[in-house]
Amino acid sequence: MGLGERLLWRCLKVNFLGFSIPRWLIPKTNAYKTIENGKYCFHVEFSLPIIGTLVSYQGLLRAENT
């Protein structure tokens, strides 16, 4: 993956108590990861059109030499 490139994720299907949720009720997903300066950077956000952001988190991970 080159500098500035992102890997994006999206939610395609949701089941709740064994029932499929219609696509228009599935929260919008903004989730991606990048590699910057050897660190794994991630961002995840779920939102609904009228309500707004339900959950959002982001962070950095780095490999440790063992």
Side-chain angles (χ1 to χ4, degrees), residues 29-44:
T29 306
N30 178 18
Y32 59 87
K33 72 104 176 172
T34 61
I35 305 294
E36 297 177 13
N37 298 322
K39 296 178 184 171
Y40 180 97
C41 308
F42 63 91
H43 173 86
V44 179

Side-chain angles (χ1 to χ4, degrees), residues 12-58:
L12 300 176
K13 184 176 179 181
V14 173
N15 289 314
F16 182 71
L17 299 176
F19 297 97
S20 291
I21 304 298
R23 284 190 73 99
W24 63 273
L25 283 176
I26 296 174
K28 302 281 187 244
T29 306
N30 178 18
Y32 59 87
K33 72 104 176 172
T34 61
I35 305 294
E36 297 177 13
N37 298 322
K39 296 178 184 171
Y40 180 97
C41 308
F42 63 91
H43 173 86
V44 179
E45 181 177 342
F46 298 100
S47 63
L48 288 172
I50 295 174
I51 297 172
T53 301
L54 301 172
V55 175
S56 179
Y57 60 95
Q58 59 188 0

